[in-house]
Amino acid sequence: MKFSRLIRSFEKLEKTSSRNAMINVLAELIKEATMKNIDKICYFVLGEIDAGYKNIHLGIGDEMAKSAIALAAGVNKQKVEEEMKEVGDLGEVAYKLVGAKQKGGEDFFTFEDALSVETVHTGLLKIATAVGSGSQEIKKKALAAMLESANPKERRYLARLATGEIRLGVGDMTVLDALAAAFLGSKKNRADLEHAYNICSDIGYVAKVLAKRGLEGVRRIRIALNRPIRPMLAQRVSEMSEIMEKIGSEVVAAEEKYDGERIQAHKEGTKVKLFSRRLTDVTDQFPEVVESVSKHIKAEKAILDGEVVAYDFDKDVFCPFQKLMQRRRKYNVKEYTEKIPVKYMLFDILYINGKSYMRKSYPERRKKLEQIVENEKYIDITRRVTSSELKEIDEFFQDCIQRCLEGMVCKSCADNSYYRAGAREWLWIKWKESYASDLSDTLDLVVVGAYAGKGKRGGTYGALLCAAYNHDEDMFQTVCKLGTGFSDKQLGRLPDKLKDAKRDRPPARVLVTKEMEADYWFAPKYILEVRGSEITESPAHTCNWREGENRGLALRFPRFERWRPGKASDQATSVQEVAGMFLGQKMEK
Ligand code: AMP
């Protein structure tokens, strides 16, 4: 497929924020794809070049991209900097400048349509795999050469792809919808595609299997070692007693809830890989966990789920999340491994010695886990109680709070308590201390907009527009305008912190009422934890929007608590959860 064909779709996608229109544009594009390029097309529309977990990074920062554009255009870097100041987007700069080298600019351009999706992908992959001394120069020259052989519009998107700024606003669920529309003709079996994606985390692979072997092939996709599985998520309730009603089993297992980082470990012999909640490979960050899993899991091959938590070994207590944050680093890993030790608390097993455990019940999985984990300093199994008595569960919860834990996660012990990859259902229900008090409930919300600050807040943002995620519609719907809880320092840093997500118009898949129109817009990327007093109905916010009644749901008196860097935007609090909280409140009253 010609790269210019792909760009025609990019341009259409950029012009719409309607999700249905996006699906149609994508489905048309996918129908024209071949076996050779369907995976690449899927990656490109998401602004990626391969499945996220493969850790294939182009390593092209803005500075290098500017140098490459300068080289391709035959101008000095300063000229590129000036243009950049003017238009604010390297894609536009590449569009304007590079043609200048071929006398007469774009009219004289002779390589029209020379690039294909495949050649662009190969070129970008070459850039990504250049390592070692001299790799910076190789990357720069390779990008410059690609820009030179592209026509102006192609350059615009090449530069954006290369810098990870494709900005189409397409999400993976929208691509799955488009795949269903293109190959299955309807949404009927869309769930099978999503399930396959949840267990393999590679949309290009799902697309390829669908194109080659149809729906049956997709249904046969299995979990595999070294390919992360999208983590199962927990629901929430607003009354502790609801846990017993909702969970679907008489006996409930209440486990300690740790405030750390969700980590999935893949063990193959002595080799271990660790994946974060966002499915990135974080193996290098936790060498002690790697060693522990390698030595103390009594299975040749296994996939385990758990939480890495900072731990104070002198006092024998867990430490707060903020402490663990300091372990997020590329450099000085060894120094920080000693400074901030961690424990890997295991709570699930998904695969063992060639056999999937996803369709086994939680009690069976837990039993297996207990059989294969050898306790030692850095690795342990989550402590828990199992009971059918709310009183006992409550006692366990109180004990967790006493020991400075975040709360508990209750798990269904029913026969069908399978591991539901990527799903937020009632089989797991979280309960934190904050849920228990009327006046405070925390939500993890996505920043989608900001309002200009006035007075003391001049030069920064006065408030942020925050949204919840609607999984069914793959949309972000607003719930509050957040202006309190930030320190002066945090406030001052907001523009810088959100800089790379900034957009010049409302991003696709973000639903905002006229009343809440923001001064600045952001692609849904940054998540923060917000505490509020209650959920109320509101015509200003689009969360759980009721068309006939012209109103959605809003969080009253929101207060910033902390940033949640480990969460992907589709793991934010869901619109369905907010609706559940609202109902819970109504019942209380
Ligand atoms: P939240 O981030 O508030 O939605 O809570 C769910 C998260 O709690 C999970 O994604 C895990 O990272 C974390 N967690 C901590 N302890 C447990 C546990 N025992 N079982 C499941 N998840 C846990």
Side-chain angles (χ1 to χ4, degrees), residues 92-280:
E92 271 330 291
V93 177
Y95 175 87
K96 275 177 80 175
L97 274 181
V98 183
K101 199 170 174 185
Q102 283 78 22
K103 256 186 254 135
E106 62 184 77
D107 296 343
F108 284 77
F109 210 79
T110 49
F111 290 93
E112 186 79 24
D113 287 353
L115 290 176
S116 69
V117 168
E118 293 87 340
T119 54
V120 170
H121 191 261
T122 311
L124 292 176
L125 218 50
K126 264 191 195 145
I127 293 178
T129 45
V131 285
S133 69
S135 64
Q136 300 293 316
E137 200 55 24
I138 296 172
K139 284 177 195 276
K140 184 179 83 183
K141 284 191 177 149
L143 179 58
M146 283 171 81
L147 288 167
E148 268 192 78
S149 62
N151 70 33
K153 278 186 182 175
E154 289 172 340
R155 281 183 233 133
R156 177 186 279 148
Y157 291 98
L158 254 181
R160 289 184 186 163
L161 270 175
T163 49
E165 289 287 332
I166 199 73
R167 300 180 175 199
L168 299 176
V170 176
D172 10 10
M173 294 301 143
T174 308
V175 176
L176 288 178
D177 279 333
L179 285 169
F183 286 101
L184 309 175
S186 80
K187 276 187 149 190
K188 204 175 109 221
N189 295 307
R190 156 77 166 67
D192 290 324
L193 300 189
E194 190 172 338
H195 174 70
Y197 178 51
N198 282 337
I199 61 174
C200 78
S201 308
D202 184 344
I203 213 150
Y205 179 65
V206 175
K208 216 166 182 165
V209 172
L210 183 63
K212 205 167 174 180
R213 303 191 201 289
L215 189 59
E216 276 315 307
V218 170
R219 285 181 176 147
R220 279 199 296 272
I221 292 178
R222 296 282 173 265
I223 61 173
L225 267 179
N226 302 319
R227 201 169 65 181
I229 297 151
R230 284 158 69 86
M232 178 161 172
L233 304 169
Q235 264 287 8
R236 71 157 88 198
V237 286
S238 43
E239 283 285 331
M240 197 188 269
S241 58
E242 274 182 79
I243 296 174
M244 309 308 264
E245 292 160 26
K246 291 260 165 75
I247 211 155
S249 69
E250 203 181 312
V251 176
V252 170
E255 294 187 353
E256 290 179 340
K257 184 176 195 303
Y258 313 102
D259 196 7
E261 191 172 350
R262 181 84 173 259
I263 296 287
Q264 196 177 98
H266 290 231
K267 174 181 192 287
E268 189 173 20
T270 51
K271 276 200 242 125
V272 174
K273 261 185 196 281
L274 305 179
F275 295 102
S276 73
R277 181 174 176 147
R278 304 181 75 140
L279 312 178
T280 49

Side-chain angles (χ1 to χ4, degrees), residues 231-234 236 255-263 277 305-307 347 382-383 406 408-409 411 424 428 430 432 435 444 564 567 571 577:
M232 178 161 172
L233 304 169
R236 71 157 88 198
E255 294 187 353
E256 290 179 340
K257 184 176 195 303
Y258 313 102
D259 196 7
E261 191 172 350
R262 181 84 173 259
I263 296 287
R277 181 174 176 147
D305 197 359
E307 188 98 346
F347 49 73
T382 311
R383 269 174 290 274
E406 213 191 8
M408 62 180 175
V409 181
K411 299 187 175 176
R424 194 188 285 285
W428 287 12
K430 57 191 173 185
K432 301 192 205 178
Y435 299 175
D444 293 325
R564 299 289 317 249
K567 284 203 164 180
Q571 292 165 348
E577 276 180 273

